[in-house]
Amino acid sequence: MKNLFFTAILLSLTITSCSEKKEQVAEQQPTTESNTMMEEPKPAASADTASTTAAAKPEDEGKALVEGADCLSCHKVDSKLVGPSYQDVAAKYTEADIDHLAQKVIDGGKGVWGDIPMTPHAGLSKENAQKMVKYILSLKK
């Protein structure tokens, strides 16, 4: 009888303890990444671009847009990171590819540079994507 009593108490404590842990685990679950569009990047303000905004070349605007977006988390100018270096992209493509590359920046892609896909940037305007591509192509060695 005593064993049955202790077993019942132990079982009720275990059930209560486990249910509290489930609630705590549910509260601690990280939120999953949403599939919402990013805001269009704003050109990073710098002293030289702020004073000559009217005379800025598309490459300068493109550089500022690249620096204001998430591009540099996967790409570097002169070496491969997750994606190809900008200099490698510039070596492979020409000015005739600007529209095609701008659309790939917007749509994302996979397979040209390996199996890791490039994240789409659907919130980016075609005009700004073209400026970014012009900047990248200007880095040709």
Side-chain angles (χ1 to χ4, degrees):
M1 184 73 150
K2 217 177 198 184
N3 283 341
L4 184 61
F5 177 73
F6 285 120
T7 304
I9 290 176
L10 183 60
L11 183 61
S12 67
L13 287 173
T14 303
I15 291 171
T16 305
S17 175
C18 288
S19 66
E20 289 175 8
K21 286 182 182 176
K22 286 181 185 176
E23 290 173 9
Q24 290 173 352
V25 169
E27 292 173 6
Q28 295 174 357
Q29 291 293 330
T31 57
T32 57
E33 185 175 317
S34 70
N35 199 11
T36 58
M37 291 190 300
M38 292 178 42
E39 290 184 28
E40 177 127 13
K42 307 265 188 288
S46 65
D48 59 294
T49 57
S51 62
T52 59
T53 305
K57 296 187 292 187
E59 292 84 7
D60 295 335
E61 292 179 57
K63 180 179 181 182
L65 287 166
V66 165
E67 290 171 348
D70 66 343
C71 305
L72 297 175
S73 60
C74 294
H75 299 279
K76 289 177 116 182
V77 171
D78 57 356
S79 62
K80 178 178 174 28
L81 193 57
V82 175
S85 73
Y86 289 147
Q87 288 177 341
D88 289 344
V89 173
K92 184 172 183 162
Y93 295 100
T94 67
E95 297 286 320
D97 299 309
I98 290 174
D99 288 336
H100 168 72
L101 293 174
Q103 196 60 50
K104 286 204 56 120
V105 169
I106 294 168
D107 295 340
K110 178 182 169 185
V112 176
W113 297 95
D115 291 332
I116 299 173
M118 181 172 71
T119 306
H121 298 84
L124 189 63
S125 71
K126 181 89 172 197
E127 179 184 351
N128 281 344
Q130 289 170 336
K131 290 175 186 176
M132 294 164 93
V133 169
K134 286 177 185 178
Y135 160 67
I136 293 166
L137 294 180
S138 74
L139 300 172
K140 194 176 297 256
K141 292 181 190 178

